[in-house]
Amino acid sequence: MRHIIHADLDAFYAAVEQLDNPELAGKPVLVGGRPENRGVVATASYEAREFGVHSAMPMRTAVHRCPQGIIVTPRFTRYREMSGKVMAIFRDLTHMVEPLSLDEAYLDITAVVEGGQQPLAIALDLKRRIAEETGLTLSVGVGTCKSVTKIGSDLDKPDGLVVVQPGDEAEFLAPLAVNKLYGIGPKTAERLHREGIETIGQLAQQPLEWFAKFFGQRAISLRDKAMGQDDEAVHTERAAKSLSSESTFVNDIGDEAELRSVVDRKAVDVAHQLERKNLKGRTVTVKLRLADFTTFTRQSTLPYHTNAEEPIKEAAWRLLSAELEPGRTFRLLGVGVSNFGEDLEAGDIEDRQLPLFAVDDAFDTFTAGPEDK
Ligand code: TTP
Ligand code: MG
């Protein structure tokens, strides 16, 4: 049997701001872009959440709901630094840590439990260390599988602690709404409601054939999760799946020539990283942050794997130039390469003679999303 902790810091960006500026302690803090720049809320302190403010809300709406809210511009470098301290404390407890974002991780504590410590004592000790050594508060879910602990850490926030004893998983999940299950978004929840299924317990009672019809490929995995029996391991030290290089500018850049030279530098940097690691990739991604902190990525897949500078530069520039608009300025620019592999027939020289782009361009957009997610 596994013993797992899911740990997630409370109101992370806002908590760091309150920690660094004691005048903000106990006050409604809105971290994000300015309302006049059409900024969005990255996160809000719990004092501000009482007014109905939440992540990804336009700052204009947030200010309307919570006029006394204090707007703070995000400081990503500082958040990354604090995240490093927190993850180091996690790794001091167990080397089996799977970070999910800057403020969130799964910890496999099986060995610690087998060494004689109680899961509850381990969790309390972890919360205390985080508080004492960083000044932040941590919410923790403890249990025998990932899906249960992830729900647990969220249930009693802030400063939460939920321990689900072995054997109690299904009973713990049963009364909760289906949308709490990882993998069930609003659309699936709506489809389930139409079938009369509101709770995880009602879902777990359905026969396997029903799951297969309703969820297709995901049937087994979702059934296991609904029953509190998912068998997913905590994945540590994943091999790098992408390499990237990014810069945040002191002054936002809008000038085309200047942007082009930044893209070229970032592309060369990534190409060198690939070469040093003896890797080639097919997918080129640019990451962009606008003046209002809206952050998004655009990507394009090459018809072959490469670590050559030119095709990466060209692909990145093509993606960025499609995003240029009069008056639009950029605060951050990054270039990444992923989708690693090797083409048997294509050497570096042949690479350059192949057509540059395939058609399966894809993109995803998120607003002031958590970094590195
Ligand atoms: P979360 O852990 O989702 O949120 P949180 O830590 O602020 O609050 P909670 O107590 O509910 O855990 O995300 C961590 C950080 O990621 C958050 O502080 C800010 C950032 N973030 C965004 O920038 N945009 C978003 O839409 C979300 C959800 C988070
Ligand atoms: Mg959090």
Side-chain angles (χ1 to χ4, degrees):
M1 195 202 319
R2 287 196 182 96
H3 293 277
I4 294 174
I5 281 181
H6 179 263
D8 187 311
L9 294 164
D10 300 323
F12 178 42
Y13 293 2
V16 173
E17 296 305 334
Q18 289 177 322
L19 194 67
D20 288 353
N21 179 0
E23 279 180 23
L24 299 177
K27 299 206 177 122
V29 174
L30 311 170
V31 180
R34 307 283 319 173
E36 57 273 22
N37 293 336
R38 289 186 288 132
V40 290
V41 177
T43 196
S45 68
Y46 276 80
E47 293 84 2
R49 292 185 198 192
E50 293 192 5
F51 297 86
V53 176
H54 56 76
S55 292
M57 175 182 273
M59 188 61 84
R60 212 181 280 270
T61 313
V63 171
H64 188 71
R65 292 195 181 180
C66 180
Q68 66 277 55
I70 303 160
I71 302 175
V72 181
T73 302
R75 295 179 299 146
F76 298 104
T77 312
R78 177 70 176 133
Y79 308 146
R80 208 169 282 129
E81 179 189 31
M82 286 304 271
S83 172
K85 284 190 187 165
V86 169
M87 296 293 165
I89 296 171
F90 293 169
R91 291 204 173 90
D92 200 35
L93 172 60
T94 166
H95 67 280
M96 294 184 76
V97 175
E98 178 181 348
L100 299 176
S101 71
L102 284 185
D103 85 323
E104 181 186 354
Y106 287 113
L107 285 68
D108 186 318
I109 54 162
T110 310
V112 192
V113 174
E114 285 170 356
Q117 281 184 260
Q118 292 295 325
L120 172 64
I122 297 169
L124 284 169
D125 201 46
L126 185 65
K127 282 166 62 74
R128 186 188 49 76
R129 273 198 73 182
I130 295 290
E132 284 178 7
E133 293 172 35
T134 71
L136 299 168
T137 59
L138 184 71
S139 290
V140 168
V142 189
T144 59
C145 66
K146 279 182 166 180
S147 67
V148 163
T149 60
K150 173 121 177 143
I151 292 174
S153 74
D154 195 48
L155 217 57
D156 189 30
K157 263 182 173 288
D159 201 15
L161 174 59
V162 169
V163 182
V164 179
Q165 297 297 341
D168 290 352
E169 294 84 0
E171 195 186 331
F172 163 75
L173 294 173
L176 303 176
V178 278
N179 65 6
K180 294 249 178 221
L181 264 195
Y182 191 69
I184 298 199
K187 277 190 196 147
T188 308
E190 186 48 47
R191 272 176 68 215
L192 288 168
H193 292 167
R194 284 202 292 273
E195 302 268 322
I197 296 171
E198 306 282 340
T199 64
I200 299 177
Q202 289 169 331
L203 180 63
Q205 276 165 17
Q206 304 303 315
L208 185 56
E209 304 79 64
W210 179 92
F211 270 90
K213 241 180 30 219
F214 197 87
F215 290 112
Q217 294 275 319
R218 300 198 300 151
I220 303 277
S221 139
L222 280 170
R223 184 165 183 254
D224 287 350
K225 285 189 178 124
M227 296 166 104
Q229 302 183 347
D230 81 86
D231 192 32
E232 261 187 59
V234 172
H235 301 290
T236 50
E237 296 188 49
R238 268 175 277 201
K241 286 194 178 123
S242 70
L243 288 175
S244 62
S245 171
E246 65 177 52
S247 291
T248 304
F249 313 122
V250 180
N251 299 306
D252 296 357
I253 304 181
D255 180 66
E256 190 170 330
E258 216 177 321
L259 287 167
R260 170 109 216 198
S261 86
V262 177
V263 163
D264 284 356
R265 279 203 304 278
K266 299 286 112 188
V268 167
D269 184 23
V270 177
H272 289 172
Q273 291 185 47
L274 287 164
E275 209 179 332
R276 276 200 299 278
K277 301 204 153 100
N278 198 19
L279 289 168
K280 292 180 180 182
R282 273 188 67 190
T283 301
V284 176
T285 304
V286 294
K287 174 174 167 187
L288 304 168
R289 180 170 296 136
L290 305 179
D292 69 354
F293 286 100
T294 308
T295 307
F296 56 98
T297 61
R298 294 285 184 265
Q299 55 183 226
S300 167
T301 299
L302 305 171
Y304 55 93
H305 293 90
T306 187
N307 55 17
E309 293 174 12
E310 281 313 314
I312 300 172
K313 277 188 197 172
E314 287 309 315
W317 175 244
R318 179 171 159 276
L319 291 165
L320 171 58
S321 51
E323 300 304 322
L324 300 181
E325 285 171 18
R328 189 177 236 196
T329 60
F330 296 85
R331 177 175 291 257
L332 173 151
L333 202 157
V335 174
V337 171
S338 58
N339 203 352
F340 298 144
E342 190 73 46
D343 304 311
L344 291 176
E345 72 276 42
D348 272 324
I349 297 166
E350 288 159 283
D351 272 358
R352 281 168 218 177
Q353 294 158 352
L354 287 164
L356 268 181
F357 298 104
V359 283
D360 59 336
D361 286 9
F363 68 87
D364 65 82
T365 308
F366 54 96
T367 38
E371 303 227 307
D372 312 320
K373 251 191 185 167

